Amino acid sequence: MKIHEKFENYCQSIRLFLVPFAPLVILFRCMENIRNFCIIAHIDHGKSTLADRMLEMTGMIHTTENAQVLDSMDLERERGITIKAKSVRMPFKSQDGKDYILNLIDTPGHVDFNYEVSRSLKACEGAVLLVDASQGVEAQTIANAYLAIDAGLEIIPVINKIDLPNAMVEECRQQLQDSLGIPGKSALLVSAKDGTGVSELFEAIVMLVPPPKGSSDEPLKCLIFDSFYDTYRGVIPHIRIFSGSLKHGDKIMIKSTGQIHDVDEVGYFTPGLTPTGQITAGEVGYVGAIIKKVGSIHVGDTIISPEHPETEGIPGFRHTQPMVFCGIYPINTNDYIKLTAALEKFQLNDSSIIYEKESSAALGWGYRLGFMGMLHMEITLERLKREYGQELIATMPSVIYKVVTTDGQFAMIDNPSKFPDPTRIDHIEEPIITLRVFVPTEFVGPIMALSDEKRAKLVAMDHPDKKRAVLTYEFPLAEMITGYYDKLKSVSRGYASMDYDFLGYHAGDFVKVDILVKENQVDALSFISIRESSQTKSRGLIHKLRKLIPRQNFEIPLQAAIGGKIIAREDIVALRKDVLAKCYGGDITRKRKLLEKQAEGKKKMKMVGSVEVPQEAFLLLLKMEE
Amino acid sequence: MKGLYVHVPFCVSKCAYCDFYSLLGRQDSIESYVQSVLREAGAYPPSFLRRDLKGELSRQNPSIQPPANEALEDFPSAADSRQSTYKKTSESAQTFQTLYLGGGTPSLLGPQNLTTLIHGLLVSPLAPCGRELERGVTSVVESTIEINPESAAPEFLQTVKNLGFNRLSFGVQSLSDCELKSVGRIHTSAQAVAAIKQAQKLGFKNISADLIIGLPGQTWTSLYASLETLVKMGIQHLSVYCLALEEGTPLAENPPADLPSDELQAHLFEETRAYLISKGFVHYEISNFALPGFACLHNLNYWRGGEYLGLGPAAASHLAGQRFKNYPNLDSYIADPTGQIEYIEELSKKEKAAEEAMLRLRLLKEGLDTIALAQKFGTDNVEDIITRLQKLSQEGLLVKDGSRFRLTPSRIMTSNPIFARVIAE
Ligand SMILES: Nc1nc2c(ncn2[C@@H]2O[C@H](COP(=O)(O)OP(=O)(O)OP(=O)(O)O)[C@@H](O)[C@H]2O)c(=O)[nH]1
Ligand code: SF4
Ligand SMILES: [Mg+2]
């Protein structure tokens, strides 16, 4: 049945249903008038802007001065992207005169933050699927739509940005049909920018998205789909109540650990935390229970009532499979404990990162972190710095290699410095992904050329319609983390999008390259490369290092070596002139400020033997390919 | 207060490396500028400091004031000839003992305006020894004026002499016409030599020249020629600066290809130092060389963390432990010379102590005496600094001599990282 037909039928059935049972409906109102939905789309298709309009039309916000109000994190505002999914509850009076409670979750579109989407879906019954009318269906349109379909959500297709002169509404309808089997005709036309079509979208949401199931009379059962740490109130889980209800003074039990806590506050998002008397089945909200012990609660856990310990847990979330790893170390070795605490709290708000203790001869104690991709890594490091005040050094990102030793054993190694001695290695395998690149046909050539450079193997090329191609590659993940995505965007003038899954491990001719700074091997700078390009890479890296490490009072040789063999070398000559020998008159302040700035810079240096290495040396190397 | 600085913000043309506050084509404002300087001097002390200074004057706190004769101790010949005047004037913290006219180009003032300025200063509340107008600035221990060779007309130098100035600082920069031209200096080497000779003829016995290391195309041969000529002429003082590419200057925007590398600059500096020392000069401050007894007292006061008042737009001051600075704006200065303070810097005692340590370490001979520092700022405030100094001396970056620390001579050209560690670790 086509969606619009379904829509009609649905309205009809509700009307028919309501007439004879009018008195009963009042009893069920709690559930019947709730709609939980999320907005999903490819990056930049206008999810957060649509959320703005919805908040405005329901009177939650008054002005439109701040675009994308739900992107409240500084980093989100700076980059103009959504990083965290955000819930907000809105009252809505439909045209039929009834009052509804709508709970909207705005999700991020970037593939690295996909886990935010899949968790949000669990709290919803419907999903508004946006397609940018000027871009058409892109990789994450498809990936996110499938996630929602698999989660059993009602999909409401919406074509956005119809105000744009280059809007191609008909093509979008066709693409929805062809790529997803969604009846394109039923797609609503919206401009999140000027508000066109948003009232109709509201009506469609209340009509099409089913109200939540479950009853407040049954024992308590809630899913923790997100959380954060508040210094005063401890861990604050974001929850979707599937049955039962919660209020101040209740006792709750964490199903996985059996721990019991006293509820101190319950409420919902407006999008700030707004306390309320109680929240009941079907609703999305938060619960505060002064849970100060950070490790005691996890996203994906079920909250139940201690009176009904037998209540079954809700299946949690699939575990994320990090793609990229890097080491992080406090600049000041003594800050390791603080870093540990920061990571524990950070993980509450981003359950897709994984971390594990590690140590480096050059950098001391730290952690190895796993991320969903390079943007995720960049954002995480920046958040740790800004929100948790951590001054960190991050090492070069790496993938997990499978190292098969001569004794027939194998080890999965995510840190190049942990590689066994070359003589003990039989062979090394690298992770391969299936990469799908969606691109207008005119860019197929440049994309194939770019991918060839990256050792990609083309396995299929499809044409979902005349204008677009989907290239499917077997692609080495290691090549993905050295700037492939940025280049893909630039060779296709922004039109290409991509999506990937893990495929498996393939053997290759790999070597481990060590970097020596003034004869000291810096384990944190070791990297894995295919033999063929190891020398070019090493030269590039050494050259970059030479520019990054400031001159010091002595000469500093920089070398790259495989085993004991030097394959690249450059020297940093000794510092010869750094002096204030200028006539400043009595302007001592200026002099002092110059020196203070230098002293400030020094604090960000890490000692490698006798050499001061700036922290950027460890991070900037990841851009080695450019 | 020990020093009085007057900033004269006029120039005929802008040198390619210059980021000092100076204006072209504004000579018509010189007269009103001079009147404004006198108004600023007349309003001394600045209102925000009036209370502080009174307190300080009545306390006469000896531990805050360096010993009265410290300025002279390393330079016995100067001490002999000037001791008596110095002692007499040092009594009052409100008047100055050294005067320095810098710029810009003070020699652009011309005889008339210079006379008005100096006479005005000598009847101002700042005047030393109860307004001894008839004695001119000879009642000041040291009075310097910067002179650019092209504006050193004999009658101007004569006026300078008559007004009692006892020290001249010539903006020579180089005696290679090529080098001068390459950075847009508008005088020739011949003009510079002639101006110095004229000054000597008039009886000036304390003459300094500025030289720049790192000019485009400069070599040791060309620099040596400049140095040798100046030394042979018998000048008493040389300030040797390193060319800095300051943001926004034409030189920084379009650096010429033949700018000497850091290596070459360091080499030129080492050679210069060796040469001047061989000729009897004392390398008393990173950029300054003097024959014994001819160190610049006005500048020594800066390096010793001393107090001074700066008059004129963009002039910096250090009074009652606070540093402040006038706006770099001639027009607003002329309109309201006493309302020009751009910022007042508030530093803690610890920060002041670190600042003074950094400044005093620039004095290569005198160095930094930690006992005196502790006396001035309190032991608690200098403990950390001393620990850092000790570490630096263990690393060979400073030389320790009892309670005194000095910069290791071979580290002069790379002293910034050392000073940065003195200020904070
Ligand atoms: N012209 C036009 N521009 C729109 C419309 N909707 C959104 N935009 C613009 O598209 C850009 C991206 O909008 P966002 O709302 O941040 O997109 P998003 O889908 O939330 O992006 P991510 O959260 O990063 O995935 C912004 O510059 C918006 O102003 C629309 O209807 N018309
Ligand atoms: S003469 Fe001095 S102040 Fe004037 S422009 Fe040249 S360097 Fe600058
Ligand atoms: Mg968004």
Side-chain angles (χ1 to χ4, degrees), chain A residues 276-479:
Chain A
T276 184
Q278 92 168 5
I279 46 177
T280 55
E283 289 188 285
V284 172
Y286 67 90
V287 52
I290 320 289
I291 306 168
K292 290 278 183 161
K293 206 164 155 280
V294 174
S296 56
I297 198 161
H298 297 102
V299 169
D301 279 348
T302 307
I303 292 178
I304 57 172
S305 160
E307 286 164 25
H308 297 278
E310 75 290 350
T311 312
E312 268 182 45
I314 302 161
F317 302 110
R318 71 182 160 93
H319 266 289
T320 49
Q321 170 61 257
M323 296 282 186
V324 188
F325 296 79
C326 82
I328 59 169
Y329 295 84
I331 300 239
N332 183 341
T333 338
N334 301 331
D335 289 342
Y336 178 70
I337 307 282
K338 282 193 214 147
L339 175 59
T340 309
L343 279 172
E344 281 176 350
K345 288 177 189 161
F346 183 82
Q347 204 187 30
L348 282 169
N349 197 235
D350 181 354
S351 47
S352 66
I353 65 154
I354 60 163
Y355 61 92
E356 203 172 80
K357 255 188 202 173
E358 77 171 12
S359 74
S360 147
L363 303 173
W365 279 103
Y367 284 95
R368 182 142 282 255
L369 266 57
F371 308 95
M372 303 311 294
M374 292 303 285
L375 180 66
H376 187 211
M377 166 167 159
E378 214 180 307
I379 296 284
T380 303
L381 296 176
E382 194 60 32
R383 284 186 69 190
L384 281 169
K385 187 166 156 190
R386 294 195 196 185
E387 294 167 34
Y388 298 88
Q390 297 298 307
E391 286 291 343
L392 296 175
I393 284 176
T395 66
M396 216 184 315
S398 167
V399 297
I400 298 190
Y401 289 92
K402 180 171 174 181
V403 179
V404 180
T405 40
T406 42
D407 56 8
Q409 308 275 59
F410 74 89
M412 304 302 288
I413 301 182
D414 59 18
N415 181 349
S417 69
K418 301 271 148 60
F419 267 54
D421 190 85
T423 55
R424 282 187 45 227
I425 297 178
D426 180 74
H427 71 274
I428 298 173
E429 295 175 16
E430 68 171 336
I432 302 289
I433 53 177
T434 302
L435 174 75
R436 287 172 297 277
V437 181
F438 293 67
V439 69
T441 39
E442 70 244 55
F443 298 112
V444 165
I447 294 216
M448 288 176 80
L450 169 68
S451 306
D452 273 355
E453 268 173 45
K454 300 281 183 184
R455 302 189 284 126
K457 198 166 111 200
L458 184 68
V459 290
M461 177 148 89
D462 301 308
H463 291 277
D465 53 58
K466 272 189 228 108
K467 288 190 182 158
R468 293 182 313 148
V470 179
L471 306 176
T472 307
Y473 284 105
E474 284 181 9
F475 199 95
L477 183 59
E479 299 287 344

Side-chain angles (χ1 to χ4, degrees), chain B residues 150-180:
Chain B
E150 75 279 359
S151 51
E155 49 282 22
F156 181 74
L157 290 180
Q158 186 63 57
T159 308
V160 169
K161 182 77 189 159
N162 294 346
L163 284 171
F165 279 91
N166 59 13
R167 188 170 180 275
L168 301 182
S169 169
F170 282 96
V172 175
Q173 317 311 357
S174 164
L175 288 179
S176 148
D177 287 342
C178 246
E179 288 168 16
L180 288 171

Side-chain angles (χ1 to χ4, degrees), chain B residues 40-285:
Chain B
E40 194 187 5
Y44 177 85
S47 50
F48 79 96
L49 278 178
R50 244 160 239 169
R51 256 208 356 252
D52 296 11
L53 281 177
K54 270 205 198 106
E56 189 151 295
L57 290 177
S58 58
R59 266 185 273 121
Q60 282 293 332
N61 184 349
S63 70
I64 293 282
Q65 300 282 315
N69 62 345
E70 181 178 16
L72 307 170
E73 68 184 0
D74 289 338
F75 304 97
S77 66
D80 290 346
S81 61
R82 295 184 252 166
Q83 195 89 6
S84 52
T85 332
Y86 189 83
K87 277 211 169 128
K88 202 167 97 200
T89 56
S90 71
E91 244 101 89
S92 163
Q94 188 167 349
T95 62
F96 56 92
Q97 288 98 56
T98 64
L99 169 66
Y100 197 105
L101 259 63
T105 313
S107 44
L108 275 185
L109 288 175
Q112 197 59 54
N113 288 310
L114 181 65
T115 308
T116 314
L117 176 65
I118 297 304
H119 284 177
L121 288 176
L122 290 173
V123 297
S124 77
L126 298 166
C129 306
R131 310 178 175 189
E132 295 173 63
L133 188 52
E134 68 289 350
R135 290 179 61 193
V137 285
T138 48
S139 57
V140 178
V141 183
E142 179 194 270
S143 42
T144 308
I145 179 169
E146 285 179 352
I147 301 212
N148 271 6
E150 75 279 359
S151 51
E155 49 282 22
F156 181 74
L157 290 180
Q158 186 63 57
T159 308
V160 169
K161 182 77 189 159
N162 294 346
L163 284 171
F165 279 91
N166 59 13
R167 188 170 180 275
L168 301 182
S169 169
F170 282 96
V172 175
Q173 317 311 357
S174 164
L175 288 179
S176 148
D177 287 342
C178 246
E179 288 168 16
L180 288 171
K181 221 179 204 161
S182 72
V183 289
R185 296 291 297 186
I186 51 169
H187 55 87
T188 61
S189 59
Q191 278 175 311
V193 171
I196 295 173
K197 283 202 173 131
Q198 178 67 22
Q200 288 173 324
K201 212 164 90 192
L202 288 173
F204 283 102
K205 301 245 157 31
N206 188 352
I207 294 180
S208 175
D210 290 351
L211 282 183
I212 299 182
I213 280 186
L215 291 170
Q218 196 174 42
T219 61
W220 172 235
T221 315
S222 72
L223 177 58
Y224 178 78
S226 302
L227 284 166
E228 194 188 29
T229 309
L230 291 169
V231 169
K232 284 207 170 133
M233 287 176 78
I235 64 168
Q236 290 75 16
H237 188 280
L238 272 154
S239 294
V240 181
Y241 299 119
C242 286
L243 188 71
L245 296 184
E246 297 293 344
E247 209 178 307
T249 60
L251 199 70
E253 312 274 279
N254 288 307
D258 54 351
L259 269 184
S261 65
D262 283 2
E263 281 72 21
L264 179 55
Q265 287 194 43
H267 171 72
L268 293 177
F269 190 88
E270 294 304 333
E271 294 286 353
T272 302
R273 168 180 154 86
Y275 172 72
L276 289 176
I277 290 174
S278 79
K279 294 294 170 189
F281 283 79
V282 181
H283 191 184
Y284 72 98
E285 194 273 339

Side-chain angles (χ1 to χ4, degrees), chain A residues 551-554 573-600 602-603 612, chain B residues 19-20 241-243 246 263 265-266 286-287 302-303 308 316 323 325 343 345 347 355 358-359 362 411-417 419-421 423:
Chain A
R551 291 175 167 205
Q552 286 160 46
N553 278 321
F554 36 79
V573 297
L575 176 71
R576 287 307 311 277
K577 186 197 143 209
D578 185 5
V579 61
L580 289 172
K582 195 185 162 232
C583 177
Y584 277 103
D587 196 350
I588 306 294
T589 305
R590 189 164 161 199
K591 266 197 163 85
R592 193 177 48 82
K593 289 207 167 129
L594 273 168
L595 293 171
E596 268 176 0
K597 217 168 137 198
Q598 217 178 70
E600 203 45 49
K602 252 191 155 54
K603 279 194 200 135
E612 287 174 346
Chain B
D19 72 336
F20 298 116
Y241 299 119
C242 286
L243 188 71
E246 297 293 344
E263 281 72 21
Q265 287 194 43
I286 289 182
S287 297
Y302 291 162
W303 312 129
Y308 50 90
R323 295 193 185 275
K325 195 180 169 189
Y343 63 80
E345 190 183 53
L347 293 181
E355 177 191 78
M358 170 274 281
L359 288 171
R362 297 184 65 93
R411 302 294 185 185
I412 296 170
M413 282 308 276
T414 52
S415 49
N416 276 351
F419 294 154
R421 286 177 60 188
I423 289 191

